[in-house]
Structure formats: structure tokens, C-alpha cells
Amino acid sequence: MEVLKEKVEEEEAAEREEAAERAERMEKMRPAEVQKEETILTQEMLRNLEKKLSEIKIPTPAEPLVVTEDTVDISNLPLSYKTNTPKEEHLLQVADNFSRQYSHLCPDRVPLFLHPLNECEVPKFVSTTIRPTLMPYPDLYNWDGCANFVSDFLTRVPLPDPLKPPSHLYSSTTVLKQQKGNCFDFSTLLCSMLLGAGYDAYCVNGYGSQALCNMDLTREVCPLTVKPKETVKKKEKVQPKKYTIKPPRDLTSRFEQEQEIKKQEEAKAREEKRRWEEEERLLEAEKAKPDPLHGLRVHCWVLVLSGKREVPEGFFIDPFTGRSYSTQDDNFLGIESLWNHRNYWINMQDCWNCCKDLVFDLGDPVKWEYMLLGTDKPQLSLTEEEDEGLNDDDDLQDQGKETEDKSFDMPSSWVEQIEISPEAFETRCPNGKKVLQYRRARLEKWAPYLNSNGLVCRLTTYEDLECTKILEIKEWYQNREDMLELKHINNCTGLRTDYFRPGHPQALRMHAYKSMQPENDRVMEFYETARVDGLIKREETPRTMTEYYQGRPDFLSYRHINFGPRVKKFTLTNTESNPRPMVKITEQFSRNPEKPADEDVAERVFLITEERIQLRYHCRDDYITASKREFLQRSEVDSKGNKIIMTSDMCISFEVEPMEHTKKLLYQYETMMHLKNEEKLSKHQAWESELEVLEILKLREEEEEAHTLNISIYDTKRNEKSKEYREAMERVMHEEHLRQVEAPLDYLAPFLAQLPPGEKLTRIQAVRLKDECLSDFKQRLIDKANLIQARFEKENQELQKKQQWYQENQVTLTPEDEDLYLSYCSQAMFRIRILEQRLNRHKELAPLKYLALEEKLYKDPRLAEFLKALA
Amino acid sequence: MNRIYDSVEPRVMDDDLLKLAVGEQGPQEEAGQLAKQEGILFKDVLSLQLDFQNILRIDNLWQFENLQKLQLDNNIIEKIEGLENLTQLVWLDLSFNNIKVIEGLDTLVNLEDLSLFNNRISKIDSLDALVKLQVLSLGNNQIDNLANIIYLRQFKHLRTLSLSGNPITQADDYKMFVYSHLPDLVYLDFRRIDDHMKALAELKYQYTVGELKHQEHLRQTRLEEERAQQGRLEEHKMAFVENLNGSFLFDSMYAEDVEGSKLSYLPIVGELLEVYKDKFVIICLNIFEYGLKQYDKRKLELDTFNECVREAIQENQEQGKLRITRFEEKHLLNLSAIREESELLNIEKKIVECSEDITELFNVLMTLEMQLVEQLEETINVFERNITDMVGLFIENVQSLMAQCRDLENHHHEKLLEIAVSTLEKIVKGELDEELPDDVRALFVDKDTIVNAVGASHDIHLLKIDNREDELVTRINSWCTHLIDKIHKDEVMRNRRRVKEINQYIDHMQSELDNLECGDLD
């Protein structure tokens, strides 16, 4: 590597010197250079020599490895696949020349990947293999969509030799057909799509890490498991206002506080250190064995440069995974060359520090050696332009030499247009299934509608690296009729959580449970806007049920029900017919702005077994205590045997501001009666809630059993009904069309109608029929000609009259009248001309039409047998 | 029907009658027993029915403050009276009486349903206060003029109208007239109004109704303009610079100044006066603008102060509430524990604990309150200082501007005096060219007279300026004192209220505990 570096530096120096004579230099050998090289080969001569020896012979392409060749059916491929056009031949010569010079100048570098063979064993230049195509799917308009599609759609085939670029590079159409390929196939396809979508994309031939080349994601964290970073909301420090009160004086000892803080910090640091060490240890364990072939594994990926499609910064895309990497990433170890559909560049920068120091300024000929001069340089840095300005004279001199090169540009691609059928696009993965192994996670993908239960994606997270202990499973569903979107199963706690999209018949949003048995721990969330009662959430434990509401007209926001143990009944064990007795119902209400706070209940508690009702009212705006009231429901009988209706000790109340009317027994009595009613209602509602839970559980079970899938009415392929309907419509249309063709105008019909019906035609009749028909037609043709003639003459006459009139009155006419006259004349002339044309045309066509009819009549099945003799 | 019973003695609406009615119409059954036990206060009654009672005069209803529905139909009432206190009334039935004039309804602003069926009314009138009126029943009366309908246009919520049995209904296009003039009406004479007919009527009367609408619109805009004007003036008054945005002060200076206006007939004085006025008005405008600016500043200051105080109180309240909730949770647990405890010793111990808790809560709450009081006092003092400074500065600046006015006046006075004296000389010498009105000429008899006259005019002017200045200064000072007083008073009131609240709460808690004790000891 050091040698390379030195060499590059040297070359840079040389190039600076000889910038003006580059073209010349490219054509000629440079003996001076060679000499120089030899002088440098002092220190590491041996190694260098070895390398040279091993690599200098490579220009002969490696023998074709028989991998997939036999599976490619080349017979149907178009001609451009099988032969080279003259221009392509020329290009190949240029490339060979370039390659020769390159291997001569940089003998220690691997030969260029320039023109591998295609599926028809024809050498094709790599740039012409790229076929920029914009896909008709909106999902494929952005780079991430394209990258994910390519990574999903194709199956990875390892390179025949992981240390060398492949000998074959198939066209993207073949690759798409086969749905498999190596990294070069992946990159070519992705690059074609990105270029088509308007990105400044390049295929990169270089070296990648082992994980990258083998698509080994086992050390990567699955992107789906990464929790989105919680954006820490910075609380805006409120500027203290002018009259903000001063805080009360702090009387605690500051020293003590400091000591406390110090102690805490120490503890924290210890904890931190311990954790860090732990992590370190874990990381150590997870670290892969060092790769013996590190830095030698050939890989091909895609580079997207900034400038187009609002890409702010260049980045890499690994075509296997479809993930984007920064150009500084550790996985990308070096770049040999890169190309797009226009040109080919060789990296002249040193890659000792992976790709971190590389500058992707392709316009800089010192850093990137280009192959074709004529094509536009993608980027010209400012400094370079200045340089050019300085070297203007030299450029002028060079121009003469370079014109020839400039005139040559990249031939258009030999590859057919890349097409992806909608079915293939939807199926995506080969056979609609794909499995990815991540670090402690496994991701499975399916095409929609492939699984009968609508499963499209499953992520299994494991506790250990060997993936034996399942931690949790997440399953994503699509197109389910019950709107189930995500199923989350936590293996440790056994908690299962189902998430639903809007549209569930019970407006479910989320359902977390451990078992489907009723009266167990569960949480249900609802789309409250879809529910009449505004229920948001219902939590259940074996003994309680809590409900949260929102936006109710009665301002109820919370209801908590405590259940007692079930009274045993031997006859009925059904939960529905034997509800658990309720012990306590707590209801909370939000503030009703229309009522005064003292009359607006904030919380009411029905202690059913104790026959007590507690009320707590809302707090007044400028108060800190709230009114309370407690009712005891006792039905006692006084000494005389009369039922006591209401006594003052049945209602204990605390009022913030004592009022007169609330002290009255009547008021208290009425309130209590009202509350008794409310209690009944609440009990009823609680009971209904229980029933609803049962119903939902039943419904969920049914849905899980049935798992029917929804089919969009726009989905013409899957929607059976619409398909049938459409087919029926098409059939009808077709038949209609046929009928129309079958029933042309029957010329004979009016004449046949004159004959007595039901009798067979005689020969004389037939001849007469024919003659009548023909003469009638003749007459019609003549009539038509006459009609046109008559109109023609009429127009002519009128025009003449007008002309006469004009000549007579010419002197007295006003300019307007004259204008009118002139416009009339031109119109009349136009009409006359048209009529004349029509007449001529009619004259021409009339005999032909007559003959055609005669012909038709001879062939008419009704007359044919009689007229055959005549003809 | 009333005539038949004419011979019967009219009933008087006395307490007994009312009590009977209230009792009969009050709660029934169990609740009724309770009601009887306690008696019902008239002010708790919401609805009262007094029909077929042969009542002649409405009386004794002043206690029914919260009455919403009152039925007085089928009596022999001749005059609407004694309903002034029933401001909550929504429903009033006075049908089948002998009322001749609509009156005495001016306080019933909540009235929605009014029935005056079968009376002797001949004119719809005196209903202006009933802005919420929805249903009006005036059938079987003696209304005979269509102009009465136009009067009803002002009731925007009126939906149902009954006029059947009035002479007015005999008019040819009575219905069309009503439809077109009351477009929001839905029911007329117990029938729903046909949309088609309504459209026809609108077409028929579009010009007259359009004219009416136009007039109403004009009146409305004029009213709005006046109100806006009033609002602006009010705002200027708040800034204490009302009527300084023009020549008002200057004009007022010359309004009572007889000599001054006479002297303005002198040569050159007219021009002089013009210039003087311009300068004067400019200074006035300066004062005006300065005043408004200062007003905004003061307002901002006050708003900030109020906001801060509110925030402080709010925070304090939150803390207090938090303490109370925490205490209540604990207290409830304690109480239930005591109830379940059977050992007497333990009970006593727990009760002592509880009462300690209560005392502690009291202490905490009171400390919080005292703390707040201290904090607020400090803030209030700062504010007081600032606002006083502001007012002082304002007064100072206004005074200096006023001094400029006075200078101008002095200057003018000198000039005027000069001119007057020279004119006098001219007159004496008989060199005056122009003709002067007689009363002006009368001033120029001798030097003393003219000097006196000019001096008097000057004095009046100065007096006016002084008065205006004094008024401004006094008013702003009194405003300032009032404001500060009010803030202090409010704070004291707040403090009292809070202390009272805390005490009350603690007392309640304690007494609850005591009750429990007694109950357990029993």
C-alpha cells in the first residue's frame, strides 16, 4: 500500500508537470517514468516484484466460470446482446488501450474491470451495461425505495472468486428475469434505476469488509429494532418577568447539598464504569474473528453524489441490503474504479484509510483518472477552474490533439429497457419470501396476499447471539379485514399486544393481553372518535376494570370498578349470566364550565356494599379545598314505626362556602334520589362494559380464525367480483362488436320485401332483383351528382349577381359595404371550390362504387347460385 | 267567562294563597313530607300556577326571585304589575284576563314565552326589553293596525306568533304582510308558514321591506359609529388626554372669552390668532400622543404585574391542593383503620395521630399562605414604586408641555396688547382705515379699557389651560391611588379568604374526627 501511495504522489507530481502534455503522454510510453519507478524500487523490492509478477499477467480475462450460463436462454435475446456495433467495438479498443496504459503505468494495481462478457459471451463495456430507466412505480422514485426493491427482489449469489471481479456481467433484464445475481449485477441494476430517477449515481468497484460482501448482517442491529431517538424537548427557559415573585429563602445548608451531590455523582460514575465494562466485555465477545482476507474482498456498490435530486452529501448504498452508508463507513475498504452510463473513472487516491480520505470530485484528474475525455466532467472544483484559466494557452495547444477524443462519446446501452411487471413488483422477493438474519434478530418478509392471514413481515428478537432464546416477536399484517396491523408478542412476560388500524368494527386501537380468557389482565385502547361513548382505554385486572373517556357530553372521564368475589351459583357457571358483584364504582368528571364549581361533581364514589355515596366537587378557581358530601343510605324505622325518609346525619357535607339551600333536607333528599338513580345507571354501564369485553374477545377469536383479507376495489386482479363483472362486460362488448360486423347493410332488403314472402327466388326474379338494385343505385349516384351540380350552379349565379351589383354601385359604396362584399366573395369562392371538388370526386368514385356493388351482389349468398351462370 | 263571576269577590294574592299554591304544586310523596316538615322558601320555587283564582291584582310575588314559569291565566287581572323582581322568568301566561295595555315587563329580560291571549289589548308595545322572546301569543285581542307588525321586527328570536281573532286579521293581505315583514317567523296563528307563500309575500312587499331594512341598517350603522366614538373617547379618558387631539382646548379658551373674540376683528390679529392656534394645537397633539404612549406603557406594566401575581397565586394554590390531596389519602386510610380497630387504646392512639396530622396540615398550609403573602407584598411594593414613578414622570412632562402652552399664550398676549395699544393710538389720531364693528370700537375708548379687556381675555385663557392641567393631574393621581389601594385591598381580601378557608377545612376535619370519636365511644 505504501508503495502505491508513493507512486500516486509521484504521479501527481508528474501530472502537475505534464498537465499540458497529457494526451501525448497517454499515447506514448514514458520511458522516464519507468526509469523513475525502478529507482524507487529499492526498499520493498521483493514484495513489489512479487506483486507485480502475480498481477501483471492478468490482462487476459480470467477463464469463464460456469456458474449460471447454461440457465440463460440466449436464443430470445435481441441482436444487440449478441453482437457489438462498430461504435462499441471502437469503444472496446479504446478501453483496451486505456487498460494497457493503465497496467503499464500502475503495474502494481489490479487490472481494470472494463469489459466483462455478457450472457452471450460478448464483451461489453461496463458503462453500456447501465441502462438508466425511470420506473413507473411511485415507490421507486426515491433512492431508498429503489435500493430496498433491488435488495428484496434479487437473491444474492456469491462472486465466483471473492478476490476478483467476475468475468461475466449480465444485462439487468436477464438478472431481473433470473431474480439473482452477484454484487455487480445488483449495483448495475440499482444504478440504472437511480440514474433513471435523476440521481447522480455511480457503480463502484472496490473492496468491502467480509460482512458487507457476504451480506452478513448478523453483527448489524436490525433497523426495525432501533427505537427512534426520543427528541429531547428542551424546555424553554422562561425569562423571569419583571414582577415574578422571588422564591422563598432557602434555609437548607448548601454544604450538605454539595456533599450529597458529590456522593451521588460518585455512585453514578461507579455505576457507569461498571456498565461500560460490562458492555465492553459483551462487545469483545461479539466481535468477529479477524478476516484473513480483509481488504482483498471485491465488492461492488453504488455511490450517489450530491448535486442532483437535492442530495446534500454523497453517500454509498450497499445493494445487498439497500442500506445507505456514509462515505466514511468502515465497511468500505477501498475503491478501484467507478462508472456510470457516460464514463469510467479510476481512483488515483490512496485507500490506506479505507474510503475516509477520498474526495469524490470526479472532475479532478489528479484524483480520478477518466477514460473518455469527451463526456462532461461531473464536477469541477473551483481551484481547478482557476488552474485551467492559468493554463489557457496550453489548453489551446492541446485542443488540436484532443478533438479526436472529444468527439467520441459513450455509445448507448445495449441492454433492453428494464421492465418490472406489476406482479413482480408486488411479489418483490423471489417467491415472495425473504429472510434476513441480523444481530440477535431475524427478519422475515412476505409479499402481500402470499400468506392467507395477511402476514407480511415478522421480526424475531433473540436474547443471545446464537439466536436460541426468543425475546419477542413482532408480526406485521396487511390487508386484514379486522384491520390488525401489528402483533407484538413478548416472550418473557407472555404479553401479547395487537395493534389495529382505524376501522375495526369495535373501534379497537390496541389490545394487550396475556390470555384471551375474560377477567384477566388486559388493556384495550380504542379510537375514541369512532365510538359513541368516547371510550379511549379500558384496563382490566382480575378484580378491577378501569375505563378512560374523552369528549363526553356528561364530562365523565374515568370510571373504576372494583369487583368482589363471585357468589357461587351451582346452576349457572356462565360469566354472562352471573356477573361478579361490584364493590365500588369510582367515577371522575372533568369540569363542566357551565356549572358553578360547587355544584359540579369532580368525583363520585359508590360504595355499593357499604351503601354509601361519596361526592367530591370541583375546586373553585381561587380555592384550594373542594366541597365534599357523603350520603349514607339507611332505611331505618323510627320508634313509631314510620320509615325515616331522610335525616340530617345521613348526609355529611363539607362546603367551601356554606349555602342555605344545600342544608335543606329536601335538597339532600333529592340529591340522594338522583344519585341512587345514577348508581343504578353506572352499575348497568359497568355491566355492559363487561359484556362488551366478552363480545370483543369473542369477535377477536372469530377474526383470528377466519382472518379474511380485504381486497381493494381497485385491485382488478384479486377482486373476484369486479373481475367477473369486468369479464362479463368485455364479453358483452365483444359480442356486440361481432354482431355489428355480421350485420352489414343489406342492399337487397327493400327489393326482397317487394316479392311475395316465403317463396323461393327464381332465377328470373334474381336477375331482375339484381338489375333493379343496380339501377336504383345508379339513379342515386346520378341524383347525387345532379344535386351537387345544382348547388354549384346556384352559388355561381349568386356570385355573378353580386358581382354585377358591385360593378353597378361601385362608386356609391361605403368602405364597410365594400368590405362586406369582399368577404362575401371570398366565402362564395370557397364554397364553389369545395363543391367543384366534391363533384369531381363523386365523378371519380361513382363508377367504382357501382362496380363494387355489382360485385357484392354477385357474391350475395341469396343470389349467388342464380347469377353464377350469368357471370 | 270572567263576566259570569263578576259578582264574586275578587281574591287577594296574599301569603296564604301563595303558600297553598306552592305547597300543592311542590314535591310530592316522600319529598313532599320533607318539604312540609321544613317548609318551602318562596325563592326556591321555580314554577307557580295561579289560574282560576279570580285574582284582580298581581301582588306579593317579590319573593319569588328564581321563578321561571308563572301562570296567571283565567283571572280578572286588569294591569300587569308587580313582576319587576321575577327577572328569571322564562314563561309567563296572562291569557284570559282583562289587560288593556302591555306594560310592566321591562325587567323580564329572560322571557321567552309570553301569552296575552284573550285580553283587551289594542296595541303591541313596551316589549323592547324582551330580547329573547320566541313565542308571542296575542290572539283574541283588539289589535287593528298592521303597523304593529313592524314593531315586532326587532325580535330576532321570535318564531311563533299568534294574532288570530284580532281585527287586524280581517285585512286583505294580513298574512302576506306578516310573512314578508317577519321573515324569521315559523308559525303564524298555529300554522306553519308555507315556504312558497313566504317567497310570494317577500316578492310582493320587497320594496316596502327593503326600505325598512335600509332604514334599520342606517340606524344600526349610526349606532355603531356612536359606540365606536364613545369607545375611543373612553380610551382617551383612560389616558387622561381626552379632547387634546385637536383644537378643543383652544376653542374652549375662546368660547367664553367675549373680549378675545371682539379683539380678533382687529387688523393682523386674525393672522396672529391663526398662527397661535396652529402652534397651540401642535403642542396639544404632542401631549395627546405622549399621553397615549404612557397609557400603553402603564397598561403593559399593570398587565405584567397582574399576570405575575396570578401565576404566583396559581402556583401556591397548586401546592396547597397537592398537600391536601396527600393528606386526604392518608387521612382516609387512617379513618378506616380506626373504624376497624376494636381495641380502645389503639383507637385513642390513632385518633391522636390523626389530629396531629390535621394540625400539621394546618401548619403547612398556613406557612404556604404566609410565604405567599410576604412574596406578594414585596412585589406589590415594587409595582407601587414603579407606577408612582411613571405617573410622576408623566405629570412632569405634561406640565412642561403645558408651560409651553402658557408661554405661547403670554407671547400672544403681549403681541395683542401691542396691537391693541397701537390701534388705540391710531383711533385716537383718527388714522384707522378699516371699519370696526361698534362693540369692538366701544373697547377703544381709553387705554385702561383696552388693556383691561386684553388682560381679561388673557386671564381666561390662562385659567382654561390651568384648569385642564389641574384636571389631568388630579385625575391621574387619583387613578394611581385608587389602583394601589385596590391592589392592597384585593390582596388583603385574598389572604383573609384563604385563611378562612383553611380554618374552615381544618375545623371540619377535626369535627369529623371528633364525631368519629363520639360514635366509637358510644
Side-chain angles (χ1 to χ4, degrees), chain A residues 241-248 612 616 619-625 628 643 645-646 652-658 660-661 663-666 669-670 673, chain B residues 27 30-31 33-35 38-39 41 301 304-305 307-308 311-312 317 321 324 328 339 365 371 375-376 378-379 382-383 386 497-498 501 504-505 508-509:
Chain A
K241 288 180 201 113
K242 200 170 172 183
Y243 293 111
T244 308
I245 52 156
K246 294 190 181 71
R612 276 203 298 185
R616 191 166 55 77
C619 200
R620 281 198 201 183
D621 277 345
D622 44 357
Y623 279 77
I624 53 172
T625 54
K628 282 188 290 191
K643 197 177 154 206
I645 305 161
M646 183 85 208
I652 306 162
S653 58
F654 163 69
E655 280 170 16
V656 176
E657 196 182 16
E660 214 174 311
H661 73 280
K663 281 213 182 64
K664 289 222 161 189
L665 280 179
L666 181 61
Y669 173 77
E670 275 171 354
M673 286 300 126
Chain B
E30 294 187 340
Q33 287 181 35
L34 279 176
E38 290 182 313
L41 287 181
E301 194 81 1
T304 339
F305 169 74
E307 203 187 322
C308 290
E311 270 170 19
Q317 273 179 16
K321 275 183 199 168
I324 289 176
E328 271 185 359
R339 281 206 194 94
L365 290 179
Q371 199 179 303
Q375 288 167 334
L376 285 182
E378 201 173 323
T379 315
V382 172
F383 176 70
N386 285 346
R497 238 187 4 242
R498 176 56 45 80
E501 190 193 347
Q504 207 178 329
Y505 183 74
H508 173 78
M509 280 331 225

Side-chain angles (χ1 to χ4, degrees), chain A residues 668-703:
Chain A
Q668 293 171 358
Y669 173 77
E670 275 171 354
T671 318
M672 196 165 89
M673 286 300 126
H674 176 71
L675 284 172
K676 273 184 173 170
N677 265 335
E678 291 285 312
E679 184 182 327
K680 261 183 216 155
L681 278 179
S682 290
K683 275 164 96 170
H684 183 74
Q685 273 170 3
W687 177 71
E688 275 188 347
S689 292
E690 276 189 279
L691 280 192
E692 196 190 88
V693 171
L694 290 179
E695 198 184 324
I696 290 175
L697 290 179
K698 209 167 132 200
L699 184 68
R700 283 294 304 135
E701 261 166 19
E702 277 169 18
E703 282 166 352

Side-chain angles (χ1 to χ4, degrees), chain A residues 798-813:
Chain A
E798 264 176 36
L799 184 65
Q800 272 170 9
K801 257 188 213 163
K802 199 87 181 173
Q803 272 168 344
Q804 232 168 11
W805 167 82
Y806 174 71
Q807 273 161 6
E808 280 165 15
N809 301 320
Q810 202 173 7
V811 197
T812 55
L813 277 180

Side-chain angles (χ1 to χ4, degrees), chain B residues 467-481:
Chain B
N467 279 349
R468 184 69 187 87
E469 189 184 326
D470 281 353
E471 190 199 339
L472 191 150
V473 171
T474 357
R475 265 178 51 207
I476 194 169
N477 275 330
S478 78
W479 172 80
C480 187
T481 2

Side-chain angles (χ1 to χ4, degrees), chain A residues 363-394:
Chain A
D364 187 347
V366 179
K367 294 180 172 128
W368 297 94
E369 185 69 59
Y370 51 84
M371 193 181 96
L372 295 183
L373 186 69
T375 50
D376 51 354
K377 297 170 182 178
Q379 271 178 335
L380 278 172
S381 70
L382 257 175
T383 50
E384 251 236 328
E385 274 176 59
E386 277 168 27
D387 274 355
E388 275 194 342
L390 286 174
N391 300 340
D392 242 354
D393 311 10
D394 302 335

